[in-house]
Amino acid sequence: MGDGKPATIYDVAARAGVSKSLVSLVLQRSPRVSDQRRAAVLTAIQELDYRPSTAAVSLAGTRSRTIGVVLDDFRNQWFVDLLTGLREALQDQGHRLVVADRFLNTGLDASPVEGFLSMRVEGIVIAGEPTTDLAIPASMPVVIAGGRVSIPRADTVANDDRAGGGMAAAHLLDLGHTRLGFLGAGSAASQERRAGFEGAAAAAPAAAGPVTVAVAVLPGEPTEEAGSRALGALLDEHPDVTAVFAANDVMALGALSELAERGLRVPEDVSVIGYDDTPVAATRYVGLTSIDDRSVEIGRGAGERLLARIADPGLAATESLVEPRLVARRTTAPR
Amino acid sequence: MGDGKPATIYDVAARAGVSKSLVSLVLQRSPRVSDQRRAAVLTAIQELDYRPSTAAVSLAGTRSRTIGVVLDDFRNQWFVDLLTGLREALQDQGHRLVVADRFLNTGLDASPVEGFLSMRVEGIVIAGEPTTDLAIPASMPVVIAGGRVSIPRADTVANDDRAGGGMAAAHLLDLGHTRLGFLGAGSAASQERRAGFEGAAAAAPAAAGPVTVAVAVLPGEPTEEAGSRALGALLDEHPDVTAVFAANDVMALGALSELAERGLRVPEDVSVIGYDDTPVAATRYVGLTSIDDRSVEIGRGAGERLLARIADPGLAATESLVEPRLVARRTTAPR
DNA sequence: TTGTAGGCGTTATCAA
DNA sequence: TTGATAACGCCTACAA
């Protein structure tokens, strides 16, 4: 089957002995086609290994049936789950997903959005915090998934960081810890998580005695390095802390290594809890208790919002929060 | 700037007071255009925020300038580096990269390749082992990046697993270890890495005494669980082993946790070395010595091969190997 | 150097 | 239920 040029709709029509229009109708699953003709067209398609040209389809059709997903960075694994959710909501509705990170196809286009606009996507999903230089036309349906910063006419679907922080505190309180610590950095998420953590700690029933929360927040990115330094600073000032909550898993990892270097055992001496439930946390070797931000749900929600917005561009922007979930592993234990 | 429909080449032509052809020439950076007209067209493009429709371009043009990348799984982080290399080779030559994993757009198309064929990509890069159900037409230029199994007319660019295994052995021998262990699973890569490891161990200068390699190979996937079990089996039979080489980082992680459970310290009691140099290995907390398979190089090589094959489809298939590199961290130490 | 006209592979609109 | 025929937005000879 050495195939030269791919077959076109004309080839199929000729082979099936019908007009191109009829083939098009069959392609679109129109019910207004006789079973006989339909069968003929279908077999011709099979025999020719015909496949409609997406270029021709989106050029001639009224909609491109394509939606673009802007990832901040392929290295942030959470996008994998996000995509799963998006697929469920979008793909099953006949939409094609095209993903790009900040660098993919840079050079051809200034930003991934440029490329999407050229493709005439029907909508755009921005994963994570939107950067201001994205330059998305006002008429383009947009939804931000997993980011808190909202841009003018975009819906936002994000994890409820405050609730997650509360869950972390509740978990540690349940285990009997009363001298807690928080490790944070200079991100909006970190602030929200801290607020939730402190709020829940403060609201704890006074029965078990006073609950204290020592805090170490470093400016800058929430890196492993920052986690190590924050833990060091925290412990230097409050050596009696028995459980720490890090703003994310990466920082928690830094805390773990710093604890090991100080000869403190986890969870015997100090319990540690992270946030994001990254793949590393789930490994047996690390086994980090963490807050699952439910990225699949976020993706599904974002997809549904986008669909709604595409159907009715006039819709008011909404902000919805997805309830996180605590995943207990071996880095937390009863006091 | 409420923009309704995107501007077309007609709009630009009208605005600049020239023909559509002239606009097209400017778009293609043709030198045969007067500076005056060019300037007029360029400003019209700016003012209208015009962007050529990729659909129309690829439909009217002779080439789509698009190449498809099939990822086995977005969770395998190595593709990030692979993409970096591919970008360098392809994107800079004006090619657009479209990525898809096994599931992206499934439902619309049976396989990611289906989608690529519809897009009329000029070539396909398969990352990792190609599955046989890919159904790629013989006329489509294909290169396999990072996989050993080759399909009929495809070039292959992969990591030299055998050399990597040798490096692992050399490193351990350098550190004075003589009772080595290998932890493997049922993959082709595992076999090659083992062969290289054993080969280098056998070729070691007899000066430092005899070198032994105990082996534990489990059937199935090289998972963390498999790593734990393999290490257990190995140590049960050969308690005197002082250094182990795992077929990949994930298995090495399993080995690390099993060692911890057995009360053995790393690297004081046992040195551990993995393969792939995954992000987890590079964290301070894990700090796993590993073999970097140089995915960026593989991507660049694959991109170049693909370019060559697109230019001359008649080219004979080649297989090239990229030399890996050892990255020493804290899980290996002198005996 | 610039403009005219045809065609790329579909969908969409009308007739038949 | 089918079949012409005109778009869709751009490239590419070919002419001017």
Side-chain angles (χ1 to χ4, degrees), chain B residues 139-193:
Chain B
S139 57
M140 175 66 69
V142 175
V143 34
I144 299 176
R148 272 148 302 277
V149 179
S150 67
I151 59 181
R153 288 191 222 190
D155 293 297
T156 295
V157 180
N159 170 259
D160 190 340
D161 291 309
R162 197 171 284 254
M167 288 176 181
H171 178 61
L172 297 177
L173 292 172
D174 274 356
L175 293 173
H177 295 274
T178 53
R179 295 186 302 281
L180 315 178
F182 174 78
L183 271 27
S187 72
S190 172
Q191 283 181 39
E192 286 292 302
R193 290 165 188 184

Side-chain angles (χ1 to χ4, degrees), chain A residues 69 71 74 78-88 91 97 99 295-296 299, chain B residues 74 101 104:
Chain A
V69 183
L71 269 25
F74 274 130
W78 75 284
F79 83 83
V80 177
D81 287 331
L82 186 82
L83 279 181
T84 301
L86 285 173
R87 289 196 252 250
E88 289 178 22
Q91 191 161 290
L97 258 45
V99 306
S295 301
V296 177
Chain B
F74 273 131
D101 76 349
L104 198 55

Side-chain angles (χ1 to χ4, degrees), chain A residues 51 77 91 105-106 228 284, chain B residues 77 91 105-106 228 284:
Chain A
R51 219 178 311 272
Q77 286 278 278
Q91 191 161 290
N105 295 324
T106 294
S228 291
R284 180 183 165 200
Chain B
Q77 288 275 280
Q91 191 162 288
N105 294 326
T106 294
S228 291
R284 179 182 165 201

Side-chain angles (χ1 to χ4, degrees), chain A residues 250-297:
Chain A
V250 179
M251 285 193 75
L253 226 51
L256 287 179
S257 62
E258 182 64 24
L259 284 167
E261 281 189 14
R262 291 181 174 230
L264 292 169
R265 293 162 305 162
V266 174
E268 292 83 353
D269 299 321
V270 179
S271 281
V272 176
I273 173 168
Y275 207 115
D276 290 340
D277 194 30
T278 55
V280 210
T283 60
R284 180 183 165 200
Y285 180 60
V286 178
L288 175 69
T289 294
S290 187
I291 308 290
D292 173 9
D293 44 23
R294 316 254 328 273
S295 301
V296 177
E297 285 305 316

Side-chain angles (χ1 to χ4, degrees), chain B residues 73-216:
Chain B
D73 191 330
F74 273 131
R75 276 164 297 198
N76 287 163
Q77 288 275 280
W78 75 282
F79 82 84
V80 178
D81 287 331
L82 185 82
L83 279 181
T84 302
L86 284 173
R87 288 196 253 248
E88 288 177 22
L90 265 13
Q91 191 162 288
D92 298 349
Q93 300 301 313
H95 287 266
R96 192 177 300 275
L97 257 46
V98 180
V99 307
D101 76 349
R102 214 190 335 242
F103 305 109
L104 198 55
N105 294 326
T106 294
L108 290 179
D109 313 302
S111 85
V113 172
E114 290 282 304
F116 290 155
L117 293 177
S118 295
M119 303 172 108
R120 307 295 189 254
V121 298
E122 293 182 31
I124 292 180
V125 174
I126 297 179
E129 301 298 344
T131 54
T132 51
D133 56 332
L134 248 31
I136 303 179
S139 57
M140 175 66 69
V142 175
V143 34
I144 299 176
R148 272 148 302 277
V149 179
S150 67
I151 59 181
R153 288 191 222 190
D155 293 297
T156 295
V157 180
N159 170 259
D160 190 340
D161 291 309
R162 197 171 284 254
M167 288 176 181
H171 178 61
L172 297 177
L173 292 172
D174 274 356
L175 293 173
H177 295 274
T178 53
R179 295 186 302 281
L180 315 178
F182 174 78
L183 271 27
S187 72
S190 172
Q191 283 181 39
E192 286 292 302
R193 290 165 188 184
R194 171 185 172 180
F197 189 68
E198 292 182 324
V211 173
T212 61
V213 178
V215 170

